[in-house]
Amino acid sequence: RTMTFILAGIGLGIFFVFYALAASAIVYHLNAYSLPNWKGRKIAIIAFVVLSLLLIGLLLAAFFQVPWNS
């Protein structure tokens, strides 16, 4: 593994930490500040989490396809 891969991995890890903080704030605020009987709250939270996981999977797939040795 090259130094570029290590630096990019550290940057990706930092990105994941900040994204996890932002995503948890989004989920918390969707849950805390929506109307009590609004059923869209659960749908919005599930859709956000599923879309986030899908995009993180695509990000990781692209990250590991980069030819770091070149």
Side-chain angles (χ1 to χ4, degrees), residues 2-26:
T2 63
M3 185 60 123
T4 306
F5 177 79
I6 293 169
L7 291 174
I10 291 170
L12 187 64
I14 292 170
F15 169 76
F16 281 147
V17 168
F18 282 115
Y19 187 80
L21 289 172
S24 62
I26 290 170

Side-chain angles (χ1 to χ4, degrees), residues 2-70:
T2 63
M3 185 60 123
T4 306
F5 177 79
I6 293 169
L7 291 174
I10 291 170
L12 187 64
I14 292 170
F15 169 76
F16 281 147
V17 168
F18 282 115
Y19 187 80
L21 289 172
S24 62
I26 290 170
V27 170
Y28 170 77
H29 284 89
L30 272 173
N31 197 26
Y33 296 111
S34 59
L35 295 173
N37 293 329
W38 184 54
K39 298 199 186 326
R41 172 181 61 198
K42 290 182 183 180
I43 294 170
I45 291 172
I46 291 171
F48 175 74
V49 170
V50 167
L51 184 62
S52 292
L53 291 175
L54 175 71
L55 291 175
I56 287 171
L58 290 172
L59 176 108
L60 287 174
F63 182 79
F64 287 112
Q65 286 182 357
V66 173
W68 295 107
N69 292 330
S70 59

